[in-house]
């Protein structure tokens, strides 16, 4: 092929290329004889031709190949039409694809790191919201030998205490007498070992109980006394309340939670309100509550007034107030389960944030992981198996403004819970006369048998008046 190249001065003719059907154009410069606009040379940017006086053979020797001899192949073996692919940077489709994949991988890695960082920040924030009650743990450890032993393996008994302190942000709900603590509401929550049922038992604050000797915040010892139940919290805080409950029931309290007013309000707001039903309109300045009669949804502030009001709703008794609290908590549980809050991290986060900010727990329940495990165990409990009742009690003989336990009904209830055996709860208006609890309890054996009689069939679960989370607030 070198023998055909002219040695005379001038630019050698280009080899035939696919974009010149008639072959190469003259070496002394193309002439546009067609009248069409000049075509931009596709080989722009290629190395210039050899200088005048340089032979074509010398040019071939410099390149290592002859022009148009087919040796300038692409990576996959196809010849390059307008110079080598290395001369036309950026036109390798595989190189561009690799470039795009690198950027995609980098962006994905960045997003994963950001998501992990945000997730860790949210976890630490919620985890840091929780207050640990180390003083109660120390007090309970000192009296460990006096505490009941757990009987049912994997069952959990958690004492929920609604704090009625009027200090800080809670001062709007009453006079602050030095920030003294009160237990406005106390509920013993029993979670069955199989996590297929949950039973919440309210303990009236005016119930007469044996309160053991406890230690105050200043380290002083109080005397053991028979007094109304909520004195235990005021005298010796959470530890004293737990020991009083254990002495009364014989049930080992595994964990405790104390939540104040503002935490309760924020939880209700986090689930966008809870539905209730009022038989009559309410106008109560003390409870910051003004509501019409009928079915309606309460926000956090209204809900707090609703569960705390006494004189303005119903007969003004603490009994009716506890019944109202139980039904409201049932409606809250129903709202969280029916709206998928427990299964939706986006909706669950505000609830956890509201709860943890006003939550004080024992050291074994003071992390978000511990609380999540607890909630996860409860999310499959059917709403009709989330039951609420009050300990069987009646007016105290020495003071009708106080309550006392009704036996043997109360003892039977505590035994069922201690052994993790079933308890049946039905509305008070559906209780048979033989199974009723005389308002809250019955002196009769719920099995219908007389003392000393035996039966070949299993003894039915004791029946108590109460409610469950599946109940309609208006009873329809």
């Amino acid at each position: 092929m070198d023998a055909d190249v002219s040695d005379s001065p001038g630019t050698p003719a280009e080899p035939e290329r696919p974009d010149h059907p008639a072959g190469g154009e003259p070496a002394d410069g193309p002439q546009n004889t067609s009248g069409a606009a000049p075509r931009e040379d596709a080989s722009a940017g290629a190395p210039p031709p050899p200088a005048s006086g340089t032979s074509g053979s010398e040019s071939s020797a410099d390149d290592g190949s002859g022009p148009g001899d087919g040796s300038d192949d692409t990576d996959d073996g196809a010849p390059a039409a307008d110079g080598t692919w290395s001369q036309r940077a950026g036109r390798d489709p595989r190189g561009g694809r690799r470039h795009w994949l690198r950027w995609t991988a980098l962006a994905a890695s960045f997003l994963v790191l950001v998501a992990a960082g945000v997730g860790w920040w949210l976890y630490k924030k919620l985890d840091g919201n929780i207050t640990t009650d180390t003083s109660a743990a120390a007090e309970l450890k000192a009296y460990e030998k006096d505490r009941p032993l757990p009987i049912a393996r994997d069952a959990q008994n958690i004492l929920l205490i609604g704090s009625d302190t009027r200090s800080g942000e809670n001062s709007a709900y009453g006079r602050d007498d030095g920030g003294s603590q009160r237990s406005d509401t106390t509920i013993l929550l029993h979670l069955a070992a199989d996590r297929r049922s949950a039973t919440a038992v309210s303990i009236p604050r005016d119930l007469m109980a044996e309160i053991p000797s406890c230690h105050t915040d200043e380290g002083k010892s109080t005397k053991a006394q028979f007094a109304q139940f909520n004195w235990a919290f005021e005298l010796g805080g959470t530890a004293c309340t737990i020991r009083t409950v254990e002495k009364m029931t014989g049930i080992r309290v595994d964990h405790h939670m104390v939540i104040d007013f503002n935490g309760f309000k924020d939880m209700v707001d986090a689930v966008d309100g809870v539905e209730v039903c009022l038989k009559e309109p309410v106008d109560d300045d003390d409870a910051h509550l003004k509501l019409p009669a009928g079915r309606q949804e309460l926000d956090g502030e209204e809900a707090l007034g609703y569960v705390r009001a006494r004189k303005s709703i119903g007969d003004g008794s603490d009994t009716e107030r506890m019944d109202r609290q139980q039904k409201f908590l049932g409606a809250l549980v129903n709202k969280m389960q029916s709206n998928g809050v427990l299964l939706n991290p986006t909706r669950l986060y505000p609830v956890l944030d509201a709860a943890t900010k006003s939550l004080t727990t024992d050291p074994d329940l003071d992390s978000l992981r511990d609380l999540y495990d607890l909630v996860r165990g409860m999310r499959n409990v059917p709403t009709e198996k989330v039951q609420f009742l009050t300990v069987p009690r009646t007016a105290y003989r020495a003071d009708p403004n106080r309550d006392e336990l009704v036996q043997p009904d109360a003892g039977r209830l505590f035994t069922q819970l201690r052994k993790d055996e079933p308890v049946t709860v039905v509305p008070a208006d559906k209780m048979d006369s033989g199974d009723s609890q005389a308002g809250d309890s019955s002196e009769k054996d719920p099995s219908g048998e007389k003392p000393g009689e035996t039966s070949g069939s299993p003894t039915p679960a004791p029946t108590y008046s109460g409610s469950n989370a599946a109940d309609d607030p208006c009873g329809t």
Side-chain angles (χ1 to χ4, degrees):
M1 190 170 183
D2 290 340
D4 296 334
V5 180
S6 172
D7 290 331
S8 61
T11 304
E14 293 182 10
E16 286 189 0
R17 295 182 299 181
D19 55 354
H20 297 297
E25 292 185 332
D28 57 353
Q31 301 294 324
N32 185 3
T33 59
S34 64
R39 180 179 61 82
E40 183 177 349
D41 189 357
S43 63
S52 175
T54 304
S55 70
S57 60
E58 289 172 346
S59 174
S60 299
D62 291 340
D63 294 339
S65 62
D69 66 356
S71 63
D72 206 7
D73 294 341
T74 60
D75 291 342
D76 57 1
D82 298 297
T84 64
W85 281 109
S86 63
Q87 293 169 334
R88 301 174 64 200
R91 295 187 63 177
D92 182 356
R94 291 182 304 169
R97 185 165 59 250
R98 287 194 297 269
H99 184 71
W100 179 82
L101 289 174
R102 283 196 299 269
W103 275 103
T104 301
L106 181 62
S109 300
F110 176 75
L111 290 176
V112 169
L113 289 174
V114 169
V118 171
W120 177 248
W121 180 83
L122 292 176
Y123 177 88
K124 296 298 290 182
K125 180 180 183 297
L126 293 176
D127 204 53
N129 284 345
I130 305 170
T131 301
T132 306
D133 189 354
T134 54
S135 61
E139 177 86 354
L140 292 173
K141 186 176 181 179
Y143 289 96
E144 179 62 36
K145 62 180 178 17
D146 297 328
R147 302 182 65 194
L149 297 174
I151 295 178
R153 184 178 180 180
D154 296 329
Q156 292 282 305
N157 296 295
I158 306 169
L159 195 65
L160 309 177
I161 302 173
S163 172
D164 196 16
T165 179
R166 305 301 170 87
S167 61
E169 294 182 18
N170 292 331
S171 60
Y173 303 103
R175 179 176 58 85
D176 178 17
D177 52 357
S180 63
Q181 55 186 2
R182 302 179 179 88
S183 60
D184 186 66
T185 300
T186 304
I187 295 175
L188 179 61
L189 175 64
H190 174 78
L191 303 179
D194 61 5
R195 296 301 188 268
R196 298 302 299 167
S197 67
T199 304
V201 182
S202 294
I203 302 175
R205 62 182 186 177
D206 293 334
L207 181 71
M208 299 303 292
E210 294 284 353
I211 301 176
S213 174
C214 300
H215 288 100
T216 65
D217 290 338
E218 293 78 22
K220 298 179 180 179
S221 296
T222 64
K223 64 177 182 179
Q225 56 192 300
F226 185 68
Q228 62 188 73
F229 171 72
N230 69 338
W231 282 23
F233 193 74
E234 189 168 352
L235 291 171
T238 304
C240 193
T241 301
I242 291 174
R243 292 178 58 215
T244 302
V245 170
E246 291 183 338
K247 186 177 183 67
M248 178 195 307
T249 65
I251 297 172
R252 171 82 173 211
V253 174
D254 302 297
H255 302 290
H256 70 268
M257 297 182 186
V258 181
I259 186 167
D260 70 15
F261 291 160
N262 283 286
F264 176 81
K265 286 195 311 180
D266 292 343
M267 284 184 65
V268 174
D269 286 332
V271 297
D272 300 325
V274 174
E275 189 179 71
V276 300
C277 192
L278 293 175
K279 296 179 180 179
E280 299 176 353
V282 178
D283 189 352
D284 189 334
D285 291 336
D286 292 337
H288 303 269
L289 190 65
K290 188 173 183 178
L291 299 170
R295 186 188 297 269
Q296 56 203 288
E297 197 163 83
L298 306 185
D299 62 22
E301 187 71 36
E302 294 168 335
L304 181 58
Y306 175 76
V307 298
R308 294 187 63 245
R310 296 184 67 178
K311 299 177 182 179
S312 59
I313 302 180
D315 60 11
S317 68
D318 199 44
T319 296
E320 186 164 301
R321 187 178 73 137
M322 284 187 296
D323 180 64
R324 195 165 60 248
Q325 291 174 347
Q326 293 168 4
K327 290 181 179 178
F328 185 88
L329 290 175
L332 176 60
V333 171
N334 196 9
K335 179 74 175 284
M336 293 180 68
Q337 287 201 353
S338 61
N339 285 20
V341 174
L342 298 180
L343 301 177
N344 186 336
T346 304
R347 301 202 63 189
L348 181 60
Y349 174 79
V351 178
L352 290 176
D353 188 43
T356 54
K357 281 191 297 188
S358 300
L359 193 65
T360 300
T361 74
D362 60 276
D364 292 330
L365 203 61
D366 67 345
S367 74
L368 191 61
R369 178 180 293 276
D370 295 328
L371 289 177
Y372 174 75
D373 290 341
L374 182 66
V375 173
R376 184 178 59 181
M378 291 185 62
R379 66 187 181 187
N380 293 325
V381 178
T383 51
E384 63 272 12
K385 287 297 185 179
V386 180
Q387 305 178 124
F388 299 87
L389 70 154
T390 302
V391 293
R393 87 277 186 219
T394 189
Y396 180 42
R397 287 162 290 182
D399 184 351
N401 294 317
R402 301 289 180 262
D403 292 327
E404 64 179 343
L405 294 175
V406 172
Q407 297 294 359
D409 299 73
R412 186 180 297 115
L413 170 64
F414 300 149
T415 298
Q416 295 292 113
L417 297 178
R418 184 167 58 250
K419 295 181 177 180
D420 193 31
E421 295 179 352
V423 172
T424 301
V425 173
V426 298
D429 58 0
K430 294 183 179 179
M431 295 283 292
D432 295 331
S433 58
D435 291 337
S436 70
Q437 300 174 43
D440 289 293
S441 63
S442 171
E443 296 292 341
K444 297 183 179 181
D445 190 305
S447 67
E449 297 174 355
K450 295 180 181 180
E453 287 185 344
T454 58
S455 172
S457 60
T459 302
T463 302
Y464 299 87
S465 66
S467 60
N468 64 64
D471 289 345
D472 185 275
C474 288
T476 57

